[in-house]
Amino acid sequence: MMKQVLRALWLASAVLAAPATSWAAGLATADEAKAMAMKAADYLRSSGPDKSFAAFDAKDGPWHDRDLYVTVLDQKGVVVAHGNNTGLIGKSAIELRDVDGKPFIQDVLAIKDSAWIDYKWQNPVTRAVEPKTQYNVRVGEYLVGVGAYAK
């Protein structure tokens, strides 16, 4: 009986501690977003689109860290990988605007090498619309992006 009680207490503490652990880890920084974007771009170059896009889309893989995730657009603005919302894959994002009406996808598509783009977007951790800065790297016909939310 005592063993069952201890087991139940351990399980309850593990479940309750999980959200606290993720909040304690905090939100990612812009430097961490840039590092992940550059690493993802290198992975795309070395592994090719099929393997890379599947890896970027996997919620439990190395391409997710707190509020960081990888997105990839083709040069026409079609989403080909999205680490936070796979339902967007195959859809054109060219007309997408943030809550202030900023056509940030068009800004992303104009990038020749790499650059930061600022816009407002829903944070997957807090669920609030927040300012976001996204580092984007062009890899051939693709734009790989990872963004961090302002603190």
Side-chain angles (χ1 to χ4, degrees), residues 109-121:
L109 295 175
I111 294 170
K112 300 295 181 209
D113 183 39
S114 60
W116 289 99
I117 300 294
D118 296 326
Y119 59 100
K120 292 181 181 171
W121 203 248

Side-chain angles (χ1 to χ4, degrees), residues 11-23:
L11 181 60
S13 67
V15 168
L16 293 173
T21 303
S22 64
W23 281 108

